[in-house]
Amino acid sequence: MKLFHLSDLHLGKRLNEFSLLEDQAYILTEILALVESERPDGVIIAGDIYDKSVPSAEAVQMFDKFLCALAARKTAVFAVSGNHDSAERIAFGGQLMAESGVYVSPVYGGTVAPITLHDAFGAVNVYLLPFVKPASVRRYFPEKEIASASDAVRAAVEQMRIDTTQRNLLVAHQFVTGAARSESEEISVGGADNVDAAVFDGFDYVALGHIHGPQSIGRESLRYCGTPLKYSFSESGHVKSVTVAELGEKGDVHVRTLPLRPLRDLREIRGSYMEVTAKQFYDGTPTEDYLRVTLTDEEDVPNALGKLRVIYPNLMELKYDNRRTRTAAQIDAAQGVETRAPGELFAEFYEKQNNRPMSAEQAEFAAKLIESIWEGEA
């Protein structure tokens, strides 16, 4: 059985106030061309379909067009909601869409029933787990201690009671400990969103979303496919792709990637003003790529942004790197963000901003507020 693994489409996203709708429509067309040539049995979309919980009409129409194109090709779709999505909006019409082979995760309600497919080697059970937090799972398992994201996902997986003699596939949108992050992802400090990879041991393939760089965690078949487009300059070196997972008989899983070429690349250019306006940088004609330019001139260039946009119309960011910027006063970034407790990080930030530590009353208030935000109650 051959499956395409996608995630984090973030339809409707704006980057530095530039709309990416045209780029997203183009890359979805490229993916459909790969579907046409590869003929997968199904397409997985592992969360963050939209960039906002209330997406724009244009983003919804784009996704609708994509689903209709897949359904017309008799290609099954397996989609879950991510942390950027509204689980309720993604689930709307799910039962009707299932009749066309488009399966979407319902709002988590304590159970996850499999969608069972068949091929020459027997059954493949596909489980759709939407993005969950401890609070959204704890209510269904009052007898369990669920204090972390790992506890929540473990409880949800244990409830599935998978038959390990059959082939089982999980689609989920969580942060698995050890994954390499990008700047465009939402980060929870203190490791609050970490999920232990061992939670997924019973699955033959785990199609993950949430992390924007393609990577496998621990084993080839526990995988983030990454975004189809670059969504931050920290991703400028990524090679975006579609992950293809091919399941043979039990225990036989092969993973490969198909590269994706965007309508416009996301790149960085560095040098003096004279260097970045030289012909070798842009081949004599304006480039449509999205760019961040770092100028190394010691003196600011008057109207540099406007002048550079004549050559680079999609210049998103302009920075300077010189003696002035390197010696500018700033608060250093906190170290160990992913391993330190949120309260500890906030206390450090408060002290740097105010030149004095928080009082006991302030620390207690901050701790309660952090807890309510994490549980989605604020």
Side-chain angles (χ1 to χ4, degrees):
M1 184 168 294
K2 182 193 295 185
L3 298 165
F4 275 16
H5 174 189
L6 307 171
S7 78
D8 297 88
L9 305 180
H10 287 279
L11 300 180
K13 185 176 180 64
R14 298 182 67 86
L15 184 59
N16 294 86
E17 298 309 311
F18 283 72
S19 171
L20 300 181
L21 282 171
E22 185 181 11
D23 304 83
Q24 292 174 329
Y26 178 87
I27 210 68
L28 291 181
T29 301
E30 292 293 290
I31 292 169
L32 287 173
L34 292 174
V35 169
E36 193 67 35
S37 61
E38 288 275 336
R39 299 288 183 180
D41 298 289
V43 172
I44 294 165
I45 307 174
D48 280 359
I49 294 166
Y50 300 114
D51 193 53
K52 296 180 178 179
S53 59
V54 183
S56 66
E58 294 86 354
V60 174
Q61 290 165 2
M62 187 188 305
F63 188 53
D64 178 63
K65 184 178 178 180
F66 183 59
L67 291 181
C68 289
L70 291 172
R73 290 168 170 80
K74 306 299 181 185
T75 306
V77 177
F78 306 96
V80 302
S81 54
N83 59 299
H84 278 251
D85 299 312
S86 161
E88 292 80 6
R89 287 183 172 86
I90 296 300
F92 177 78
Q95 293 182 1
L96 286 173
M97 288 191 288
E99 296 178 7
S100 298
V102 177
Y103 304 95
V104 295
S105 61
V107 177
Y108 185 73
T111 61
V112 178
I115 300 140
T116 302
L117 310 176
H118 293 87
D119 64 7
F121 299 103
V124 175
N125 301 307
V126 181
Y127 293 84
L128 303 181
L129 180 65
F131 174 73
V132 293
K133 290 184 175 181
S136 58
V137 176
R138 189 184 300 127
R139 57 191 293 193
Y140 299 105
F141 303 99
E143 76 284 359
K144 294 180 182 289
E145 182 178 346
I146 299 176
S148 66
S150 195
D151 294 338
V153 175
R154 182 179 292 105
V157 167
E158 287 175 350
Q159 184 281 327
M160 295 174 191
R161 297 182 178 85
I162 62 175
D163 181 351
T164 56
T165 65
Q166 296 184 347
R167 292 170 296 170
N168 298 288
L169 186 151
L170 178 69
V171 184
H173 190 92
Q174 304 287 158
F175 175 65
V176 177
T177 305
R181 297 187 186 264
S182 301
E183 290 177 358
S184 53
E185 300 147 8
E186 291 186 358
I187 297 177
S188 294
V189 295
D193 59 351
N194 287 17
V195 176
D196 187 347
V199 170
F200 307 112
D201 283 350
F203 295 95
D204 298 85
Y205 185 79
V206 183
L208 292 167
H210 190 43
I211 298 301
H212 290 187
Q215 57 194 286
S216 295
I217 309 296
R219 56 183 168 104
E220 187 181 48
S221 56
L222 180 62
R223 182 165 178 82
Y224 289 103
C225 62
T227 54
L229 292 172
K230 299 173 183 178
Y231 287 139
S232 72
F233 286 101
S234 67
E235 300 169 46
S236 60
H238 290 186
V239 177
K240 298 301 184 179
S241 60
V242 174
T243 291
V244 183
E246 296 181 87
L247 283 68
E249 61 184 341
K250 178 71 175 179
D252 181 19
V253 180
H254 296 279
V255 176
R256 57 189 173 93
T257 59
L258 301 171
L260 289 169
R261 185 181 296 275
L263 179 63
R264 304 174 184 89
D265 201 359
L266 188 76
R267 300 189 290 117
E268 296 190 77
I269 294 177
R270 176 186 174 87
S272 69
Y273 178 79
M274 293 301 294
E275 288 172 335
V276 301
T277 56
K279 184 176 179 180
Q280 63 264 29
F281 267 88
Y282 62 97
D283 297 326
T285 56
T287 175
E288 296 294 320
D289 287 348
Y290 297 117
L291 295 176
R292 175 163 69 185
V293 172
T294 302
L295 295 180
T296 56
D297 303 84
E298 288 300 328
E299 299 295 330
D300 288 3
V301 178
N303 193 28
L305 185 63
K307 292 176 180 177
L308 287 171
R309 278 186 172 156
V310 174
I311 302 171
Y312 307 117
N314 290 322
L315 172 58
M316 287 185 165
E317 291 185 31
L318 176 63
K319 300 169 56 180
Y320 281 89
D321 183 14
N322 52 31
R323 284 192 296 270
R324 173 179 58 82
T325 59
R326 286 193 292 270
T327 58
Q330 61 179 357
I331 296 177
D332 295 333
Q335 301 298 310
V337 169
E338 295 188 14
T339 57
R340 296 168 64 190
E344 180 185 356
L345 289 166
F346 183 79
E348 179 181 317
F349 174 76
Y350 180 93
E351 186 168 351
K352 286 183 176 180
Q353 284 283 78
N354 298 279
N355 296 314
R356 59 184 176 84
M358 289 192 295
S359 66
E361 183 179 2
Q362 289 171 323
E364 182 181 0
F365 176 80
K368 290 180 179 178
L369 184 61
I370 289 168
E371 183 178 358
S372 66
I373 290 171
W374 169 242
E375 295 295 355
E377 297 170 0

